[in-house]
mmCIF file of all heavy atoms in Angstrom:
data_model
loop_
_atom_site.group_PDB
_atom_site.id
_atom_site.type_symbol
_atom_site.label_atom_id
_atom_site.label_comp_id
_atom_site.label_asym_id
_atom_site.label_seq_id
_atom_site.Cartn_x
_atom_site.Cartn_y
_atom_site.Cartn_z
ATOM 1 N N ARG A 1442 95.233 95.110 121.724
ATOM 2 C CA ARG A 1442 94.546 94.134 120.853
ATOM 3 C C ARG A 1442 93.247 93.558 121.536
ATOM 4 O O ARG A 1442 92.287 93.303 120.806
ATOM 5 C CB ARG A 1442 95.514 92.975 120.516
ATOM 6 C CG ARG A 1442 96.623 93.394 119.646
ATOM 7 C CD ARG A 1442 96.359 93.503 118.229
ATOM 8 N NE ARG A 1442 95.967 92.153 117.623
ATOM 9 C CZ ARG A 1442 95.568 92.005 116.331
ATOM 10 N NH1 ARG A 1442 95.371 93.108 115.595
ATOM 11 N NH2 ARG A 1442 95.339 90.844 115.842
ATOM 12 N N GLU A 1443 93.297 93.449 122.856
ATOM 13 C CA GLU A 1443 92.131 92.892 123.543
ATOM 14 C C GLU A 1443 90.915 93.803 123.451
ATOM 15 O O GLU A 1443 89.795 93.354 123.524
ATOM 16 C CB GLU A 1443 92.529 92.641 125.038
ATOM 17 C CG GLU A 1443 93.403 91.398 125.221
ATOM 18 C CD GLU A 1443 93.810 91.225 126.683
ATOM 19 O OE1 GLU A 1443 93.600 92.171 127.485
ATOM 20 O OE2 GLU A 1443 94.431 90.159 127.039
ATOM 21 N N THR A 1444 91.167 95.083 123.289
ATOM 22 C CA THR A 1444 90.077 96.003 123.205
ATOM 23 C C THR A 1444 89.960 96.651 121.832
ATOM 24 O O THR A 1444 89.216 97.652 121.677
ATOM 25 C CB THR A 1444 90.241 97.160 124.304
ATOM 26 O OG1 THR A 1444 91.537 97.725 124.089
ATOM 27 C CG2 THR A 1444 90.136 96.600 125.708
ATOM 28 N N GLU A 1445 90.544 96.009 120.846
ATOM 29 C CA GLU A 1445 90.625 96.662 119.515
ATOM 30 C C GLU A 1445 89.261 96.799 118.825
ATOM 31 O O GLU A 1445 88.992 97.874 118.311
ATOM 32 C CB GLU A 1445 91.518 95.782 118.646
ATOM 33 C CG GLU A 1445 91.789 96.332 117.279
ATOM 34 C CD GLU A 1445 92.747 95.410 116.542
ATOM 35 O OE1 GLU A 1445 93.974 95.564 116.672
ATOM 36 O OE2 GLU A 1445 92.238 94.497 115.827
ATOM 37 N N GLU A 1446 88.428 95.776 118.954
ATOM 38 C CA GLU A 1446 87.161 95.778 118.283
ATOM 39 C C GLU A 1446 86.253 96.896 118.906
ATOM 40 O O GLU A 1446 85.639 97.649 118.091
ATOM 41 C CB GLU A 1446 86.454 94.402 118.372
ATOM 42 C CG GLU A 1446 85.193 94.320 117.654
ATOM 43 C CD GLU A 1446 84.563 92.974 117.644
ATOM 44 O OE1 GLU A 1446 85.313 91.938 117.931
ATOM 45 O OE2 GLU A 1446 83.402 92.775 117.244
ATOM 46 N N ALA A 1447 86.237 96.947 120.216
ATOM 47 C CA ALA A 1447 85.384 97.977 120.860
ATOM 48 C C ALA A 1447 85.904 99.394 120.541
ATOM 49 O O ALA A 1447 85.227 100.358 120.295
ATOM 50 C CB ALA A 1447 85.337 97.771 122.341
ATOM 51 N N ARG A 1448 87.259 99.449 120.520
ATOM 52 C CA ARG A 1448 87.937 100.782 120.225
ATOM 53 C C ARG A 1448 87.571 101.226 118.834
ATOM 54 O O ARG A 1448 87.241 102.463 118.591
ATOM 55 C CB ARG A 1448 89.428 100.618 120.410
ATOM 56 C CG ARG A 1448 90.223 101.952 120.039
ATOM 57 C CD ARG A 1448 91.682 101.805 120.286
ATOM 58 N NE ARG A 1448 92.031 101.458 121.648
ATOM 59 C CZ ARG A 1448 92.415 100.260 122.019
ATOM 60 N NH1 ARG A 1448 92.538 99.278 121.108
ATOM 61 N NH2 ARG A 1448 92.722 99.986 123.235
ATOM 62 N N TYR A 1449 87.585 100.327 117.862
ATOM 63 C CA TYR A 1449 87.290 100.675 116.542
ATOM 64 C C TYR A 1449 85.845 101.249 116.425
ATOM 65 O O TYR A 1449 85.642 102.281 115.764
ATOM 66 C CB TYR A 1449 87.374 99.490 115.621
ATOM 67 C CG TYR A 1449 87.109 99.738 114.077
ATOM 68 C CD1 TYR A 1449 88.179 100.242 113.324
ATOM 69 C CD2 TYR A 1449 85.861 99.693 113.598
ATOM 70 C CE1 TYR A 1449 87.909 100.453 111.964
ATOM 71 C CE2 TYR A 1449 85.589 99.940 112.252
ATOM 72 C CZ TYR A 1449 86.645 100.396 111.451
ATOM 73 O OH TYR A 1449 86.393 100.651 110.168
ATOM 74 N N THR A 1450 84.874 100.566 117.108
ATOM 75 C CA THR A 1450 83.532 101.090 117.007
ATOM 76 C C THR A 1450 83.379 102.425 117.653
ATOM 77 O O THR A 1450 82.714 103.307 117.084
ATOM 78 C CB THR A 1450 82.595 100.044 117.723
ATOM 79 O OG1 THR A 1450 82.710 98.808 117.122
ATOM 80 C CG2 THR A 1450 81.145 100.502 117.770
ATOM 81 N N GLU A 1451 83.936 102.569 118.819
ATOM 82 C CA GLU A 1451 83.777 103.882 119.531
ATOM 83 C C GLU A 1451 84.524 105.018 118.819
ATOM 84 O O GLU A 1451 84.000 106.138 118.745
ATOM 85 C CB GLU A 1451 84.430 103.729 120.972
ATOM 86 C CG GLU A 1451 83.642 102.822 121.854
ATOM 87 C CD GLU A 1451 84.392 102.399 123.132
ATOM 88 O OE1 GLU A 1451 85.462 102.959 123.333
ATOM 89 O OE2 GLU A 1451 83.863 101.546 123.847
ATOM 90 N N MET A 1452 85.763 104.776 118.260
ATOM 91 C CA MET A 1452 86.439 105.814 117.595
ATOM 92 C C MET A 1452 85.818 106.145 116.316
ATOM 93 O O MET A 1452 85.783 107.317 115.887
ATOM 94 C CB MET A 1452 87.871 105.393 117.421
ATOM 95 C CG MET A 1452 88.739 105.415 118.700
ATOM 96 S SD MET A 1452 90.530 105.197 118.330
ATOM 97 C CE MET A 1452 91.121 105.258 120.002
ATOM 98 N N SER A 1453 85.232 105.227 115.601
ATOM 99 C CA SER A 1453 84.544 105.507 114.324
ATOM 100 C C SER A 1453 83.410 106.480 114.551
ATOM 101 O O SER A 1453 83.219 107.378 113.723
ATOM 102 C CB SER A 1453 84.054 104.185 113.713
ATOM 103 O OG SER A 1453 85.124 103.373 113.327
ATOM 104 N N ALA A 1454 82.683 106.318 115.651
ATOM 105 C CA ALA A 1454 81.595 107.201 115.982
ATOM 106 C C ALA A 1454 82.097 108.586 116.254
ATOM 107 O O ALA A 1454 81.547 109.634 115.828
ATOM 108 C CB ALA A 1454 80.835 106.697 117.173
ATOM 109 N N LEU A 1455 83.242 108.682 116.980
ATOM 110 C CA LEU A 1455 83.833 109.950 117.223
ATOM 111 C C LEU A 1455 84.331 110.693 115.942
ATOM 112 O O LEU A 1455 84.172 111.961 115.827
ATOM 113 C CB LEU A 1455 84.966 109.840 118.248
ATOM 114 C CG LEU A 1455 84.674 109.287 119.606
ATOM 115 C CD1 LEU A 1455 85.915 109.246 120.526
ATOM 116 C CD2 LEU A 1455 83.595 110.156 120.328
ATOM 117 N N ARG A 1456 84.939 109.867 115.114
ATOM 118 C CA ARG A 1456 85.430 110.428 113.851
ATOM 119 C C ARG A 1456 84.255 111.008 113.050
ATOM 120 O O ARG A 1456 84.342 112.069 112.423
ATOM 121 C CB ARG A 1456 86.185 109.343 113.051
ATOM 122 C CG ARG A 1456 86.848 109.914 111.835
ATOM 123 C CD ARG A 1456 87.205 108.819 110.818
ATOM 124 N NE ARG A 1456 85.970 108.292 110.257
ATOM 125 C CZ ARG A 1456 85.901 107.110 109.566
ATOM 126 N NH1 ARG A 1456 86.898 106.358 109.500
ATOM 127 N NH2 ARG A 1456 84.757 106.746 109.052
ATOM 128 N N SER A 1457 83.181 110.270 112.892
ATOM 129 C CA SER A 1457 82.036 110.676 112.173
ATOM 130 C C SER A 1457 81.520 112.023 112.765
ATOM 131 O O SER A 1457 81.130 112.924 112.016
ATOM 132 C CB SER A 1457 80.933 109.638 112.167
ATOM 133 O OG SER A 1457 81.357 108.549 111.488
#
Side-chain angles (χ1 to χ4, degrees):
R1442 292 282 291 176
E1443 286 175 349
T1444 55
E1445 186 178 271
E1446 187 174 343
R1448 180 179 299 107
Y1449 182 88
T1450 300
E1451 293 167 5
M1452 287 188 179
S1453 294
L1455 296 181
R1456 187 198 70 198
S1457 296

